[in-house]
Amino acid sequence: MSVYRLCAFIVLLVGLPTSLVSAEETSPAAAKPITPTETISLLGQGDLSQHFYTWLTDGGYEDPRHVFTMGKDGILKISGDGFGGLITHQEYADYYLVLEYRWGTETLLTRKGRARDGGLLLHCQGPDGGFGGSATKPGPWMTSIECQIIEGGVGDILVLAGKDAAGKPLKASATCTIVRDRDGEAVWSPTGEATTFPKGRINWFGRDPNWKDVVDFRGPDDVESPGQEWTKLECFCVGDKLVYRVNGVVVNRASNVIPRQGKILLQTEGAEMYVRKAEIGPLPKEIP
């Protein structure tokens, strides 16, 4: 039994709500972040528990429906049958993250028939389930800065400011240079006005203003690979700055990011997804 499952079990025995206990609080590992000096495969050569633990809104630290499974080909399958994610045991800072993924065909639960949805939460802090839930029912996410993965919106920045174990707000923010589209939504532009966001979304520069939350949506300027083809997503985490690149195209930037370190959460959000590479390594000499 992992330390996370053991702790949750102990909490149940003493009658405390599991939502008040986070993996950060129960893990013997120090909170000091790791800055990678070599490239590490987060898929752990097929053993997901080497770098990740599971969090699901309806299962906590258990995964009875096998939402996350490793194939014999070394590819991670995310079934989408749940909300939550794989969360790293360790916190990281100043790193280069590469994710190569493709969509499956299934959409499920409340996302049935809607745009295929997932995401990477960076710099995660606070308790598991500390964002998107309530005092009595933990949510699926954590306080973090998200790199959105959704049909038509890959590379959007989402600022997720959640709560700590005592229910007090945790700070999260990002500053981006933006313009406003016809609907008033924030869109990243290198020549835009610097604006600080304590919450909300900053669209990637080419997001279709006619975006609809429907399966197979694709905008005219999308750089994500179409259909079930592989997409390469890169996140450059440099101090308090973030740069997102999709298939070689820089799509979004942020500075003055809070938090600037933390765990990494790979979401399941009602869509079938496959991941053939999830690597974290040292920052390159040149940052795009």
Side-chain angles (χ1 to χ4, degrees):
M1 180 180 288
S2 72
V3 64
Y4 309 105
R5 296 189 179 104
L6 177 60
C7 186
F9 177 69
I10 293 172
V11 169
L12 288 172
L13 285 179
V14 299
L16 294 175
T18 56
S19 60
L20 298 185
V21 177
S22 71
E24 178 180 334
E25 294 166 322
T26 62
S27 172
K32 183 177 180 181
I34 293 173
T35 297
T37 58
E38 61 182 2
T39 299
I40 302 167
S41 172
L42 294 178
L43 299 183
Q45 289 73 50
D47 178 11
L48 290 173
S49 66
Q50 183 177 347
H51 295 290
F52 289 113
Y53 62 93
T54 301
W55 172 260
L56 294 168
T57 53
D58 62 346
Y61 300 109
E62 301 294 334
D63 183 11
R65 297 187 305 281
H66 305 290
V67 176
F68 306 99
T69 55
M70 288 295 302
K72 293 181 180 180
D73 55 2
I75 294 176
L76 165 65
K77 178 183 178 181
I78 303 174
S79 74
D81 186 17
F83 294 89
L86 291 172
I87 307 173
T88 59
H89 300 296
Q90 302 289 345
E91 293 192 8
Y92 297 92
D94 297 304
Y95 58 87
Y96 168 56
L97 175 63
V98 179
L99 185 80
E100 292 184 2
Y101 74 91
R102 71 171 180 86
W103 296 115
T105 58
E106 295 294 322
T107 55
L108 302 97
L109 307 172
T110 57
R111 299 296 302 168
K112 184 70 175 178
R114 300 183 181 273
R116 295 181 179 91
D117 198 359
L120 274 173
L121 306 190
L122 309 176
H123 304 338
C124 296
Q125 295 288 339
D128 303 314
F131 181 90
S134 66
T136 57
K137 185 177 181 181
W141 322 131
M142 302 172 72
T143 295
S144 57
I145 306 296
E146 180 173 359
C147 178
Q148 175 69 291
I149 303 174
I150 189 172
E151 291 180 307
V154 178
D156 292 348
I157 292 172
L158 277 74
V159 179
L160 307 182
K163 297 181 179 180
D164 66 14
K168 296 180 180 180
L170 288 172
K171 185 176 181 180
S173 66
T175 299
C176 301
T177 55
I178 66 155
V179 294
R180 297 283 179 177
D181 67 12
R182 67 167 193 222
D183 300 319
E185 294 184 357
V187 181
W188 174 69
S189 168
T191 59
E193 180 180 357
T195 305
T196 299
F197 294 81
K199 62 180 180 178
R201 187 183 74 233
I202 304 93
N203 293 339
W204 74 279
F205 76 86
R207 201 181 211 262
D208 187 350
N210 294 315
W211 183 86
K212 294 182 180 180
D213 192 7
V214 294
V215 71
D216 291 327
F217 182 90
R218 184 168 181 81
D221 298 321
D222 281 359
V223 293
E224 180 192 31
S225 302
Q228 279 65 59
E229 297 182 20
W230 293 99
T231 293
K232 182 178 181 180
L233 174 62
E234 300 166 278
C235 300
F236 301 82
C237 303
V238 190
D240 66 351
K241 298 179 176 60
L242 293 173
V243 181
Y244 298 163
R245 190 162 68 181
V246 180
N247 284 338
V249 178
V250 173
V251 296
N252 221 330
R253 294 181 186 271
S255 61
N256 299 320
V257 166
I258 299 173
R260 58 175 291 179
Q261 67 180 58
K263 297 179 181 180
I264 299 165
L265 188 155
L266 175 59
Q267 293 178 312
T268 175
E269 199 167 354
E272 184 182 34
M273 176 188 283
Y274 296 85
V275 177
R276 68 180 181 185
K277 179 184 286 187
E279 292 182 347
I280 187 169
L283 288 162
K285 292 181 179 180
E286 295 185 5
I287 306 298

